[in-house]
Amino acid sequence: MGISHQDLAGAFHARGHQLWLVGGALRDRLLGIDSHDQDYATDADPDAVEALVRGLGATVTTVGKRFGTIGVRVQGFWSEITTFRGDSYSGGTRWPDVTFGASIEEDLARRDFTINAFAEDAFSHRFLDLYHGRQDLAARVIRAVGDPATRFREDPLRILRGIRFASQLDFEVEPGTLAGMAQTADLIPTLSQERVTAELDKLLQGANPARGLEALRETGALPFGLPELAPMVGCEQNRFHQFDVWGHSVATVQAVAVTPETVRLRRWAALMHDLGKPAIRHVKANGEWGFYRHETIGAELATSLLDRLKLGRAESHAIVLLVRRHMDRPEPGDRRSVRRFMARVPEHWRDLLALKRADNASHTYDDREYHDRLEAACLRAEEEEREALRAESPLTGDDLVRIFDREPGPWIRVIKERLSTLVLDGDLAPGDREGAERIARRMLNRGRA
Ligand code: ATP
Ligand code: MG
């Protein structure tokens, strides 16, 4: 468990130092949200902080020390203790990457939004709300501390943080802050891709992603943060659609059913599913807009966009697959067609179905009944497959792992499928374990599994 918040507060106080709880943890507490990372601000310099917490026997990390931060385990969680920030530099020349401030007031003035600029004295519990952040929390507003454009110019990441908070908390960006974002959005490309991607990722997983995405568009940040998506804005569609491609994509992100495990994949896929449309749009014989095979070019465009974003390989692969397959429309009554649909998105048919439902939800026609039938057919196919594997193969997966002394993996499925087919076809007797073992060995030797 390590040291407690009270241990820290007492130790700083005893040495005549200030220690303030600051930032997101106070915001989250006021919102009634659990937050594990505690940030502290202090007048003590990083050497003094390190000596103090080591004196308490705490678990300490100094990786952030040259930025003024000492990491400490407090009540089981990593916390950061950072020397006051400011414009003025007080001290020697040992901390080249930061400027230290003289007071908590100066430190709070450097923070990005009013709802992130609270401080609470760890010892006396005195609460500072110099920028009326509590009012903004109650009114559900994101408001910059100080002059918005100046603050965004200092650090353009704040633009994306503000928009991300709007999505995460379902807050409105205050008009002056929104205008400041619009004035400075062209500075976004000066940020590292990792930081931009991290914010976009949080935005998409927020409570109201449509709010964040619309703020990206409204502020003009979209062409700088996600230029590949910008052509969707104003790309008009046919009479089945109420929105342009952008509006439809945002509506799809908002509509797609998610769980904490699927939110990341499904929302990114929903955002990109029609990425190919602006590039492929053409006039059809009947005079309407056509988007023939937009899913193919969309999958290609998504591949390069995801490469640039560095979202992670497994996730990117799955997103591209969902983009590529979102127009698939198997006949629910046809087993082969349903199985092919599922086999094209291994492990992801539920995600694909969720995407298709959401895609449809913002069309002018209602296809719910079709998707219900398709879902029922997929569940049936899955159950049949499970039964076939369970009942028919004379050897179980565990048997195979034991007999061949190999790590479990896709090879088991390949062998079991072959064995069950042989049983179903009458070429292997049910329960013929020796025969089954011979066949499995032959398959492995030939590298067929
Ligand atoms: P979360 O941790 O939920 O993403 P947070 O607000 O706690 O949100 P952190 O990155 O942990 O974000 O930062 C902690 C605090 O540091 C913020 O609440 C804010 O006061 C300040 N802060 C962080 N980044 C910036 C920035 N770019 N400009 C100004 N202040 C910032
Ligand atoms: Mg935080």
Side-chain angles (χ1 to χ4, degrees), residues 232 245 248-250 252-253 268-277 294-295 298-299 322-324 326-327 355 358-359 362-363:
M232 292 175 163
V245 175
H248 165 69
S249 304
V250 171
T252 306
V253 170
W268 275 110
L271 184 63
M272 294 187 193
H273 80 282
D274 276 348
L275 190 54
K277 276 189 171 176
H294 68 273
E295 67 278 19
L322 295 178
V323 173
R324 174 71 186 85
H326 82 273
M327 295 297 286
L355 174 61
D359 185 12
S362 64
H363 282 70

Side-chain angles (χ1 to χ4, degrees), residues 65-68 89 92-100:
K65 191 168 175 182
R66 67 195 187 93
F67 305 106
Y89 187 64
T93 54
R94 294 204 35 230
W95 316 102
D97 300 313
V98 287
T99 53
F100 294 139

